[in-house]
Amino acid sequence: MITKENDAIKLVHDSGNSAVVSTLGATVVSFQDAHKKEHLFLSEKRKPGKAIRGGIPIAFPVFGKPPAEGPYSDLPQHGYARISEWSYDETPVMDSKDGVSVRLTLDSPPTRPPATLVYTVTLTAHQLACTLHVKNTSSSDVLPFQALLHTYHLGNPRNVGVKGLKGARFNDKTAGGNTLIESHDVVHADGLTDSVYLATTNELELTNGVKIRKHNLPDTVVWNPSESAKSMDDMHDGGWNEFVCVEPGHVNDFYQLEAGKEWVGMQVITLPSQ
Ligand SMILES: O=P(O)(O)OC[C@H]1O[C@@H](O)[C@H](O)[C@@H](O)[C@@H]1O
C-alpha cells in the first residue's frame, strides 16, 4: 500500500515492513521491519533549508565540497539533489505482494549541466532497494558527476561495525586525506571517522546482520562525526552515538556520462531474518 501525507510517501508491504520517503531530496527517512523496529537513524533536529540529517540523503552531482573550478564550483557540499524538492510520480511502479515501489524525479537546476534523475525505492519482505538513474539530457555535452547514497544505519557505532572492507584502500579525511589500507576485519566508526574506501566489494555486512549489496557504486564512505557533531545545528545531543553511515557511491572521480546516455546505481539493504 502507498499513501502520501504532505511531503511523506509511505510504503507498506504485505509482510508488515514499511518505508517512508520524503519528497525533500527523495530522502528515505524510515525503514521498519515487520515488528516496527526502525533501521535508519533520523535526527530529532531539522534545520529549514538544509538536507535531512538522517535516513538516506542522495549526494549529487558532487560528493563533499565541490571542485574549485567548473560548473559545480558554487554548489553546497554534497550538491543540489538532497536539498531539492523532487516530483513524486503517483503512478505506482509496483504495489503487490511481490513488492511496493515508488518513483521520484528531479530535473537539474537550469544553471547546471542538464540531467534528469529518477529514483526508485522498492520495499519487499526483508529488503529496501534504492535505485538512482541519471540521464544526461544534453544532446552534445558530457555530464560529469559523483553520486552517493548517504545511508545512516541505526545502531551504536561501538556495537555495530562494518565487515567486508579489509584490504581496501581508503582516504582518511580526518587525517588530511592520507591513503591507507584497511587492516581490520570489522571497521568501527566509534570516534571521529571519515573514510572514503575505493573500489570496494559489492557485498558488505554490518555486525548486526544487515547486509548491503551495491551495484555500479564502486566506493564506500564510512562516516561518524562523533563529538564534533556537537557543533551541528541539526543533530540532537548524543545523536552521533546512534548511527554508522555506510555510503555506497561513485566518488573517487567524476563519472563522465556521454550525451543522451543513462547511468544506474543501486544499493539493496537486506535485514536479517526476523
Ligand atoms: O554534514 P553533511 O554535509 O551532511 O556531510 C556529512 C559528511 O558526509 C560524508 O559523506 C563526508 O565524507 C563527510 O566529510 C561529511 O562531513
Side-chain angles (χ1 to χ4, degrees):
M1 190 178 61
I2 302 167
T3 51
K4 182 171 185 292
E5 204 179 322
N6 303 319
D7 70 341
I9 305 156
K10 183 164 188 184
L11 296 74
V12 180
H13 182 254
D14 282 1
S15 62
N17 270 4
S18 65
V20 178
V21 187
S22 172
T23 53
L24 176 61
T27 309
V28 178
V29 291
S30 168
F31 175 31
Q32 292 189 357
D33 63 26
H35 303 290
K36 311 270 177 261
K37 183 172 177 255
E38 180 61 57
H39 290 270
L40 294 175
F41 166 84
L42 186 62
S43 175
E44 290 160 16
K45 279 196 183 170
R46 183 99 169 244
K47 197 80 176 100
K50 274 190 84 168
I52 294 171
R53 175 68 66 196
I56 314 180
I58 301 169
F60 180 93
V62 293
F63 160 68
K65 291 200 182 2
E69 305 281 325
Y72 301 135
S73 59
D74 58 336
L75 276 178
Q77 161 138 312
H78 293 333
Y80 58 73
R82 67 176 184 163
I83 48 171
S84 298
E85 195 57 35
W86 289 54
S87 303
Y88 167 48
D89 179 350
E90 304 244 353
T91 323
V93 182
M94 172 164 65
D95 190 359
S96 72
K97 62 177 174 31
D98 294 333
V100 185
S101 198
V102 295
R103 181 166 47 208
L104 295 95
T105 57
L106 179 72
D107 289 327
S108 53
T111 53
R112 306 295 167 191
T116 295
L117 308 188
V118 179
Y119 192 52
T120 308
V121 177
T122 303
L123 183 68
T124 55
H126 298 291
Q127 292 185 330
L128 182 77
C130 305
T131 311
L132 180 65
H133 296 246
V134 178
K135 171 131 202 212
N136 180 354
T137 51
S138 165
S139 54
S140 52
D141 297 333
V142 162
L143 174 75
F145 70 87
Q146 295 171 306
L148 167 124
L149 302 177
H150 198 306
T151 311
Y152 288 75
H153 292 276
L154 192 63
N156 187 316
R158 273 190 294 273
N159 307 326
V160 179
V162 190
K163 293 194 279 184
L165 296 170
K166 190 175 180 180
R169 260 188 325 129
F170 69 101
N171 299 329
D172 183 353
K173 285 170 80 177
T174 69
N178 276 354
T179 302
L180 303 166
I181 304 281
E182 183 55 66
S183 60
H184 298 94
D185 289 318
V186 177
V187 171
H188 279 280
D190 53 341
L192 179 63
T193 307
D194 195 355
S195 303
V196 182
Y197 291 88
L198 310 175
T200 60
T201 167
N202 282 333
E203 313 268 341
L204 298 168
E205 189 171 347
L206 305 184
T207 51
N208 61 8
V210 170
K211 293 194 168 82
I212 302 157
R213 192 153 44 83
K214 58 191 182 65
H215 164 76
N216 224 8
L217 296 170
D219 311 314
T220 303
V221 179
V222 177
W223 176 70
N224 187 292
S226 191
E227 302 222 336
S228 74
K230 282 186 175 160
S231 63
M232 290 180 174
D233 51 13
D234 58 358
M235 179 76 80
H236 63 259
D237 193 28
W240 53 92
N241 287 324
E242 299 169 22
F243 66 85
V244 49
C245 278
V246 182
E247 313 164 16
H250 185 116
V251 298
N252 188 32
D253 58 5
F254 277 76
Y255 191 86
Q256 305 289 329
L257 185 60
E258 284 175 29
K261 296 278 195 246
E262 197 169 312
W263 171 97
V264 183
M266 176 175 80
Q267 78 163 339
V268 180
I269 300 170
T270 306
L271 302 180
S273 307
Q274 296 145 22

